[in-house]
Amino acid sequence: EAGVAQSPRYKIIEKRQSVAFWCNPISGHATLYWYQQILGQGPKLLIQFQNNGVVDDSQLPKDRFSAERLKGVDSTLKIQPAKLEDSAVYLCASSLESGRGRQDTQYFGPGTRLTVL
Amino acid sequence: GIQVEQSPPDLILQEGANSTLRCNFSDSVNNLQWFHQNPWGQLINLFYIPSGTKQNGRLSATTVATERYSLLYISSSQTTDSGVYFCAVERGGYQKVTFGTGTKLQVIP
């Protein structure tokens, strides 16, 4: 079974530029998560999709971050414009389903390391 | 929001030693997971353990939900156990996930 795929693996941009990350979850997984992990910290949930609907985006800085999940499969996360403090690893994860007390393991992709200069 | 604190923040072990990692959380949760992040950054789920005790090889975990803590036991540690261990709690109808502060483990030969 193929795992969660992410691209690119590394990205270096200058502040005020825009950047996009792509995630392909495990086939059949209804729930998709985007996390931001700053060096030395635990991952912070940015947005959670159930199929192609958003179920939580309370920690997404909506003035500069956006995410979409078309057709309930692939997802993209965009930052526009980027700030220095956006330097982090962006992790995508997926699970079969979440909600109604179900226990579903999250599978993580390798992450995209973003450096903003 | 919920606070998830882990201790100790850093741990150095000699190969073969045992250790206990702790996760405290500030509010009731629906589920709790333990993850290992290897030195290359890959996060792997170790346990899904909202309550009780589970074992998988040299690792075991115990969650006491009523007292809001969970423990991860590593026995006979190996160098491949090095990395950062995170607990993550889930709350709410769609299981919103909050990760803990992490324990960085280094196992030396």
Side-chain angles (χ1 to χ4, degrees), chain A residues 13-18 81-86 115-117:
Chain A
I13 61 173
E14 295 189 349
K15 60 183 179 182
R16 291 187 290 274
Q17 286 186 323
S18 52
K83 293 185 175 181
L84 297 177
E85 58 261 35
D86 298 332
T115 301
V116 182
L117 303 176

Side-chain angles (χ1 to χ4, degrees), chain A residues 35 37 41-43 45 48 56 58 91 98-106 108-110, chain B residues 31 33 35 37 40-43 45 48 50 54 86 90 93-97 99-101:
Chain A
Y35 292 88
Q37 186 175 23
Q41 299 181 15
L45 180 67
Q48 179 177 341
D56 189 286
S58 57
L91 295 162
S98 179
R100 298 181 294 279
R102 286 191 56 148
Q103 300 182 18
D104 286 311
T105 300
Q106 287 190 43
F108 281 80
Chain B
N31 287 307
Q33 300 181 71
F35 290 89
Q37 189 166 40
W40 296 271
Q42 182 67 49
L43 270 160
N45 181 278
Y48 214 117
K54 291 185 178 180
F86 290 103
E90 300 180 7
Y94 278 97
Q95 314 291 22
K96 179 177 177 178
V97 180
F99 274 74
T101 50

